[in-house]
């Protein structure tokens, strides 16, 4: 046994030593302590067990003493390999074990039923790696454990990364990397059950798999954890629900200010799925998730009162209904101040789908640039009774689609993208805003301008106007918002950072110069806007543009001297289609749509364009703003004395 200076150790390690004069340090391996278990058994309260680098074949049982500090040489250096038939470290709170008990800087690897099990014990676990269990969670916390698990890596376990049962809010899981854990049931990253109300904050929960659902986080049986400021990404539920988060059976989780991105579920809720529960879902970025129903969020089977507010749902995909949000068998629930932007449903409801006696109350929200392969680019309803008010429903093509005469959804006091209101064949045929299906809607009165209580629209039509060796000139369409304050450009040459690192506030203008850029460098650019209250929109569609490289330009091939008109996407299309074209020299460009009889339907572009790529959307309307008849049309592009044409198909 080696005596130490315990007060200095306490200051460095951040724990309290009750009686410095009695504390000791036990070194492993040493003649007195050849194993880690021997060191723990020798240690008294306030003692430190220091474990040298190396691999130790042990299954550890924590002694019934509080305040022991176990420290390795680092999570990659000190590795404890457990027996495949039991856990690597078991800690049972026969006497109180609180946060003065510390496990730090070591790896627990290869346990049988778990890496670490805490029965009521509440240590501070930090800077540790728990990985590669054979058939169980990385860490399991039971019976009112109030542990603090921080700055650890919980990876590659054959069970949930962390399993929590019957633990209150004093259990804290913070700033960990919870990665690549796999379970055949629920909760790949974190499983919360049996009245759990732990705090889950600031973690990266990624690439986990749960066959049944809740691949990132699973909450059930009255669990009400606080899930705050985490990044929950690339998790997969290949046979179930809730790629990112799954809330079930009276769970009242608080899901606040997280990034929930690129998760997938075979069934419902690529980002979040809730059923038979009422979570609070607020202030999250829910991006690029995918599921059969509800790419972003799915609320199904009598979720009583989920509170969904101030979220951004963007670029989510549903293989059937509800690209952004899907509501099925819900009783009334508030959905307030959300932005549903550029979500996609292969079938119905690009932004939101409400079916089978669903009663969501949607207000102060922005639903824009969403696409459905079949019906309801913005919102799709079927035998449902949603109420939409003070919303901006614009630039979706078909803003709302009601598939049944059995219900009359209320959509009063919304803005539809134009002062004339929505186009409705029977109720408002002169409307130039988003379209309504012919089935019954209660949409009168409407707003003459965008509602300023809803999130601002993202700018549209971002394109390159000019370029030089170290600058780019970009422009976009003005955002129709009465309290618009200014625009902000985000740009970077590296796509790994999100959002892009460089910003430029340009005021209330729609063209701007990006100066002092790298020569011959490709940049990724997006634009937002913000209002007088500093509420910022989501990003515009991304523009990829390059500064000029004189050496490369000198050797440019003939392909850059040729006018190019790419196929429009999608084609066929219903609500809108994107058209990209390349102009080989600075000058006037005309892009027009013609019918089969050679009559011009609409002019999409007629302006001076810089050399390079440009893009434009066609919403299927003619020069008068009326929807063109379904059928075959031709695009014709003229620029620089060259002409190119393509066929496109508009469907009902």
């Amino acid at each position: 046994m080696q005596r130490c200076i315990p007060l200095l150790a306490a200051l460095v390690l951040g724990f309290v030593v009750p009686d410095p004069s009695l504390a000791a340090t036990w070194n492993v391996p040493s003649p007195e302590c050849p194993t880690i278990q021997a060191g723990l058994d020798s240690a008294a309260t306030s003692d430190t067990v220091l474990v040298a680098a190396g691999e130790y074949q042990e299954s550890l049982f924590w002694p019934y003493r509080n305040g022991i500090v176990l420290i390795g040489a680092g999570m990659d250096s000190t590795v404890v390999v457990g027996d495949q038939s039991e856990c690597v470290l078991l800690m049972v709170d026969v006497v109180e074990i609180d946060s003065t008990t510390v496990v730090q800087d070591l790896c627990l690897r290869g346990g049988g039923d778990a890496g670490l099990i805490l029965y009521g014990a509440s240590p501070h676990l930090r800077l540790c790696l728990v990985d590669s269990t054979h058939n169980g969670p990385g860490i399991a916390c039971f019976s009112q454990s109030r542990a603090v698990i921080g700055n650890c890596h919980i990876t590659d376990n054959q069970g949930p990364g962390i399993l929590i049962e019957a633990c209150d809010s004093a259990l804290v899981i913070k700033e960990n990397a919870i990665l690549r854990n796999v379970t055949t049931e629920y909760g790949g990253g974190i499983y919360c059950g049996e009245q759990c109300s732990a705090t889950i904050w600031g973690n990266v929960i990624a690439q986990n798999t749960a066959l049944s659902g809740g691949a990132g986080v699973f909450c059930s049986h009255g669990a009400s954890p606080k899930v705050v400021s985490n990044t929950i990404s690339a998790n997969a539920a290949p046979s179930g629900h809730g790629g990112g988060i799954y809330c079930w059976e009276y769970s009242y989780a608080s899901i606040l200010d997280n990034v929930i991105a690129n998760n997938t579920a075979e069934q419902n809720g690529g980002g979040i799925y809730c059923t038979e529960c009422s979570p609070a879902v607020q202030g999250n970025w829910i991006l690029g998730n995918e599921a059969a129903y509800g790419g972003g969020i799915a609320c199904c089977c009598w979720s009583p009162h989920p509170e969904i507010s101030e979220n951004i749902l963007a670029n989510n995909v549903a293989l059937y209904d509800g690209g952004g949000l899907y509501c099925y068998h819900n009783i009334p629930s508030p959905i307030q101040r959300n932005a549903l932007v550029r979500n996609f449903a292969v079938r119905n409801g690009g932004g939101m789908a409400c079916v089978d006696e669903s009663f969501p109350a949607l207000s102060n929200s922005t639903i824009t640039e969403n696409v459905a392969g079949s019906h309801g680019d913005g919102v799709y309803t079927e035998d449902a009774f949603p109420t939409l008010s003070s919303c901006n429903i614009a630039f979706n093509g078909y803003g709302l689609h009601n598939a049944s005469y059995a219900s009359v959804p209320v959509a009063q006091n919304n803005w539809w993208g134009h002062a004339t209101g929505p186009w409705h064949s029977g109720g408002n045929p002169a409307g130039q805003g988003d379209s309504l299906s012919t089935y019954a809607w209660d949409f009168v009165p409407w707003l003459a301008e965008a509602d300023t209580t809803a999130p601002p629209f993202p700018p549209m039509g971002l394109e390159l106007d000019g370029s030089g060796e170290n600058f780019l000139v970009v422009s976009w369409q003005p955002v129709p918002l009465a309290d618009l304050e200014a625009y902000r450009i985000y740009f970077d040459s590296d796509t790994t950072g999100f959002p892009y690192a460089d910003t430029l506030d340009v005021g209330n203008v729609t063209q701007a110069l990006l100066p002092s850029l790298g020569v011959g460098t490709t940049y990724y650019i997006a634009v937002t806007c913000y209002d007088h209250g500093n509420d910022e929109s989501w990003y515009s569609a991304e523009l990829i543009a390059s500064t000029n490289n004189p050496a490369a330009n000198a050797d440019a091939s003939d392909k850059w001297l040729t006018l190019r008109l790419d196929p429009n996407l999608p084609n066929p299309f219903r609500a809108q289609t994107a058209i990209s074209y390349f102009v080989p020299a600075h000058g006037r460009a005309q892009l027009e749509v013609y019918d089969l009889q050679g009559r011009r339907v609409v002019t999409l572009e007629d302006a001076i364009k810089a050399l390079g790529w440009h893009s434009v959307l066609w919403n299927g309307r003619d020069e008068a703003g009326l929807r063109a008849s379904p059928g075959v049309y031709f695009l014709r592009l003229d620029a620089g004395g060259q002409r190119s044409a393509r066929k496109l198909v508009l469907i009902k």
Side-chain angles (χ1 to χ4, degrees), residues 9-255:
L11 293 173
V12 172
L13 298 173
F15 58 88
V16 177
V17 178
D19 188 348
S21 65
L22 300 178
T25 296
W26 302 85
N27 291 296
V28 178
S30 68
E32 297 87 357
C33 304
T35 65
I36 300 173
Q37 187 67 59
L40 291 173
D41 292 341
S42 300
T45 296
S46 305
D47 285 359
T48 298
V49 178
L50 288 178
V51 185
E55 184 174 296
Y56 299 81
Q57 301 282 339
E58 299 189 54
S59 293
L60 304 174
F61 183 84
W62 200 268
Y64 297 141
R65 289 186 291 280
N66 187 32
I68 298 173
V69 178
L70 174 63
I71 303 177
M75 68 171 70
D76 297 323
S77 301
T78 302
V79 181
V80 186
V81 181
D83 187 329
Q84 294 185 16
S85 64
E86 54 188 338
C87 66
V88 184
L89 173 59
L90 174 62
M91 194 177 293
V92 180
D93 197 3
V94 173
V95 297
E96 181 181 9
I97 295 179
D98 62 23
S99 60
T100 61
T101 297
V102 177
V103 180
Q104 177 177 316
D105 283 317
L106 76 164
C107 169
L108 305 178
R109 175 166 293 161
D113 53 359
L116 168 66
I117 296 179
L118 305 175
Y119 279 106
S122 304
H124 190 166
L125 183 72
R126 60 194 179 201
L127 298 171
C128 290
L129 169 62
V130 183
D131 74 343
S132 304
T133 59
H134 291 274
N135 188 29
I139 301 174
C141 304
F142 302 109
S143 186
Q144 299 303 314
S145 170
R146 298 185 174 186
V148 176
I149 302 169
N151 301 109
C152 295
H153 293 184
I154 300 100
T155 66
D156 302 296
N157 297 289
Q158 295 302 307
I162 301 178
L163 183 146
I164 313 165
E165 297 273 6
C167 298
D168 63 25
S169 59
L171 189 147
V172 177
I173 301 169
K174 64 176 184 178
E175 298 180 321
N176 302 283
I178 304 171
L179 312 174
R180 300 183 303 276
N181 302 286
V182 178
T183 176
T184 58
E185 297 182 349
Y186 297 95
I190 300 177
Y191 179 105
C192 301
E194 296 295 340
Q195 306 299 319
C196 167
S197 58
T199 299
I200 301 168
W201 174 79
N203 303 279
V204 175
I205 304 170
Q207 300 177 15
N208 301 286
T209 301
L211 296 185
S212 297
V217 178
F218 177 74
C219 308
S220 72
H221 298 91
S224 303
K226 298 177 180 65
V227 184
V228 182
S229 299
N230 302 279
T231 297
I232 302 171
S233 67
N235 302 287
S239 301
H241 311 284
I245 299 176
Y246 184 170
C247 296
W248 181 39
E249 286 194 334
Y250 311 108
S251 169
Y252 294 87
S254 298
I255 302 170

Side-chain angles (χ1 to χ4, degrees), residues 220-586:
S220 72
H221 298 91
S224 303
K226 298 177 180 65
V227 184
V228 182
S229 299
N230 302 279
T231 297
I232 302 171
S233 67
N235 302 287
S239 301
H241 311 284
I245 299 176
Y246 184 170
C247 296
W248 181 39
E249 286 194 334
Y250 311 108
S251 169
Y252 294 87
S254 298
I255 302 170
L256 312 175
D257 301 321
N258 302 279
V259 175
I260 303 170
N262 302 317
N263 303 285
T264 59
E266 174 70 17
Q267 299 184 45
N268 299 302
I272 299 174
Y273 176 68
C274 54
T275 180
E276 300 180 56
C277 63
S278 299
V281 182
Q282 181 177 1
N284 303 280
W285 287 9
I286 303 170
L287 315 172
N289 303 285
E290 182 176 323
Y293 298 90
I297 301 176
C299 300
C300 300
C301 297
W302 305 280
S303 294
H305 300 282
E307 298 180 10
I308 302 173
S309 62
E310 301 183 35
N311 302 283
I312 294 172
L313 290 88
N315 304 321
N316 300 287
V317 175
L319 300 182
Y320 295 102
D321 301 335
L325 175 62
Y326 177 76
C327 300
Y328 171 81
H329 273 316
N330 285 116
I331 65 176
S333 57
I335 302 174
Q336 301 172 326
R337 199 167 168 73
N338 298 280
L340 285 79
V341 181
R342 289 192 291 277
N343 301 288
F344 178 73
V346 171
R347 196 167 72 183
N348 302 314
M352 174 177 173
C354 309
V355 300
D356 285 359
E357 300 182 3
S358 173
F359 294 81
L362 182 69
S363 64
N364 310 105
S365 297
T366 293
I367 304 172
T368 186
E369 298 183 74
N370 299 288
V371 176
S374 293
H375 302 293
D377 299 301
V379 176
Y380 172 86
T381 68
E382 183 175 350
D383 296 323
F385 303 88
T387 300
L388 292 82
S389 63
S390 301
C391 293
N392 295 326
I393 307 166
F395 315 125
N396 299 284
Y398 261 91
L400 306 181
H401 181 91
N402 182 20
S404 172
Y405 284 116
S407 61
V408 181
V410 177
Q412 298 175 336
N413 298 307
N414 300 291
W415 189 68
W416 302 87
H418 198 275
T420 59
W423 177 89
H424 187 279
S425 61
N428 192 34
Q432 297 184 41
D434 272 24
S435 299
L436 284 171
S437 65
T438 55
Y439 283 7
W441 283 98
D442 187 359
F443 63 89
V444 179
W446 60 78
L447 303 179
E449 59 183 24
D451 191 290
T452 56
T453 64
F457 286 100
M460 297 174 63
L462 177 64
E463 65 178 16
L464 180 67
D465 280 358
S467 62
E469 292 183 15
N470 65 347
F471 71 87
L472 297 170
V473 179
V474 296
S475 66
W476 54 91
Q477 299 172 12
V479 173
L481 189 64
D483 65 343
L484 179 71
E485 179 70 22
Y487 296 93
R488 180 174 292 139
I489 304 176
Y490 290 79
F491 60 101
D492 203 340
S493 58
D494 180 5
T495 60
T496 59
F498 184 82
Y500 297 143
D502 297 313
T503 63
L504 181 65
D505 282 44
V506 296
N508 198 345
V509 299
T510 57
Q511 186 181 62
L513 171 71
L514 297 179
S516 305
L517 304 178
V519 175
T521 303
T522 298
Y523 286 88
Y524 303 86
I525 306 165
V527 180
T528 66
C529 68
Y530 54 93
D531 59 23
H532 296 336
N534 206 34
D535 294 321
E536 191 170 5
S537 75
W538 188 241
Y539 301 91
S540 68
E542 183 182 72
L543 171 69
I544 303 174
S546 300
T547 54
N548 297 342
N549 185 335
N553 289 343
D555 298 328
S557 65
D558 289 343
K559 70 177 182 179
W560 300 112
L561 303 177
T562 303
L563 188 69
R564 179 172 170 181
L565 177 61
D566 274 7
N568 59 297
L569 294 172
N571 190 30
F573 75 100
R574 175 176 289 103
Q576 62 183 11
T577 188
I579 302 158
S580 298
Y581 62 94
F582 179 84
V583 175
H586 184 88

